[in-house]
Structure formats: C-alpha cells, structure tokens
C-alpha cells in the first residue's frame, strides 16, 4: 500500500497515518515501525514507535522527529510512504520544487562519488 502526506507543521514530533492504512492493518497494532529513505537501500533503517489514540488513529511517534531532522524535512515537503510489510515503510521525499530530494547517502549519490573518485585515482601521477 502507498499513501502520501504533506508536511504542514513547522516542527512535528509525530506523523498521523491514514485511516485506510489502519483499516488495512486489520486490527494489527504494531508497537514499532522501521522507516527507510527510498534511495538509501538497506543501509539505514530508522526505528519509530507507533502509538494509537483512543479513537484508533495511528501515529509514528518517538523516532519520527529524528527521521525528520536527518532528512531535513520541511514545511511543504511531499512524502510518499510505501508499506513494504514486516512493519517497514520506504519513504520518498519531494521538496517544494516538486522534485525528488537526493541525499548524500543515496545509492545513486554513492555511485557518482565512487565514479569521480575512480577518475581522480586514475589521473593521479605515479
């Protein structure tokens, strides 16, 4: 299942999940979820606590703020969540230019850095 959200608050310590996602969980109430920034491969998983309100609303709570800080998520950013099963979300981040954000630890960024490093090594005199 995929869903999106837009960061509307300047600083939010938790993120509400859509009602349809909660229904899809069919009564399963996980205590924790893992978040992965989409281009980061399997290297970094963020542990986030899940909490429920008395009305059944589901939130990403403790650990969400650290994810927000780590990926510099700001007001107006558009996030696409994909539930991978096994209590894991992959998150794609789009900034206010409507383009997908790239981060230093992205797989593509890593390959580009390795490419330029290999060129530099090849051009270094012996």
């Amino acid at each position: 299942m995929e869903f999106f959200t837009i960061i509307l608050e300047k600083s939010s310590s938790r993120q509400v999940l859509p009602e349809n996602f909660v229904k899809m969980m069919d009564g399963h109430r996980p205590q924790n979820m893992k978040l992965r920034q989409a281009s980061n491969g399997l290297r970094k998983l963020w542990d986030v606590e899940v909490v429920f309100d008395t009305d059944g609303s589901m939130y990403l709570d403790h650990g969400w703020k650290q994810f927000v800080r780590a990926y510099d998520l700001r007001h107006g950013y558009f996030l696409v969540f994909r539930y991978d099963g096994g209590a894991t979300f992959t998150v794609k981040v789009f900034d206010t230019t409507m383009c997908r954000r790239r981060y230093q630890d992205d797989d593509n960024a890593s390959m580009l850095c390795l490419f330029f490093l290999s060129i530099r090594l090849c051009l270094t005199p012996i």
Side-chain angles (χ1 to χ4, degrees), residues 5 10 16 32 39 43 50 63 66 73-74 83 87 98 121:
T5 188
K10 188 171 184 173
V16 66
N32 295 292
S39 297
R43 289 186 301 255
V50 176
Q66 289 78 5
L73 304 182
R74 299 178 186 189
Y83 184 64
M98 297 184 271
L121 291 174

Side-chain angles (χ1 to χ4, degrees), residues 20-79:
N20 282 344
F21 175 76
V22 177
K23 287 179 184 174
M24 186 208 71
M25 296 296 285
D26 196 30
H28 178 63
R29 294 174 67 113
Q31 294 181 346
N32 295 292
M33 292 279 205
K34 294 192 181 297
L35 301 179
R36 172 187 308 125
Q37 192 274 125
S39 297
N40 194 269
L42 298 175
R43 289 186 301 255
K44 180 66 177 171
L45 291 173
W46 297 82
D47 292 315
V48 179
E49 182 181 351
V50 176
V51 297
F52 292 85
D53 277 353
T54 54
D55 67 357
S57 295
M58 184 177 182
Y59 296 88
L60 299 176
D61 196 56
H62 183 74
W64 171 250
K65 199 168 191 173
Q66 289 78 5
F67 184 81
V68 168
R69 273 195 222 119
Y71 292 103
D72 194 25
L73 304 182
R74 299 178 186 189
H75 180 85
Y77 279 24
F78 184 91
L79 309 178

Side-chain angles (χ1 to χ4, degrees), residues 89-103:
F89 283 114
T90 298
V91 183
K92 290 181 184 178
V93 178
F94 296 81
D95 62 23
T96 56
T97 68
M98 297 184 271
C99 293
R100 179 129 169 246
R101 292 269 315 208
R102 296 292 177 194
Y103 295 95

